[in-house]
Amino acid sequence: MARTKANEESMSIETAFSEIDKKIKELEKDDISLEDSFKYYKEGMELLKYCNDAIDKVEKKVQKIAGDGELTDFE
């Protein structure tokens, strides 16, 4: 399933990681074509970028909440 910016923005990080896992399973199949390999790889990389961007947004929110901009561990 191809992802677009619109449905990526409404996707949770957990859902994105699940989709990445599906792409990996497809790539591990013995009978996958070169075209499909490239398609799944590209989709997986787009999902990874989405996850990275989403995690960065959360990190910035945590820094803002902390007030001083320094990273603190949650305990």
Side-chain angles (χ1 to χ4, degrees):
M1 170 194 315
R3 295 273 163 223
T4 64
K5 285 286 181 199
N7 58 9
E8 277 184 3
E9 290 174 1
S10 65
M11 181 187 315
S12 71
I13 294 173
E14 293 81 8
T15 301
F17 278 123
S18 177
E19 288 292 317
I20 291 168
D21 190 48
K22 290 177 187 176
K23 305 298 178 201
I24 291 169
K25 285 181 178 21
E26 289 296 324
L27 286 166
E28 289 175 339
K29 290 183 178 178
D30 291 335
D31 61 345
I32 189 168
S33 70
L34 181 59
E35 291 83 9
D36 285 343
S37 293
F38 180 73
K39 179 183 88 170
Y40 291 130
Y41 175 80
K42 183 177 182 255
E43 290 172 359
M45 292 305 292
E46 290 169 357
L47 286 164
L48 282 173
K49 183 182 180 327
Y50 165 76
C51 290
N52 187 48
D53 291 346
I55 291 168
D56 284 345
K57 286 180 187 177
V58 171
E59 183 179 30
K60 286 177 184 171
K61 287 180 184 177
V62 170
Q63 287 175 340
K64 186 174 183 178
I65 291 169
D68 59 8
E70 291 189 28
L71 293 176
T72 56
D73 292 332
F74 290 108
E75 296 183 35

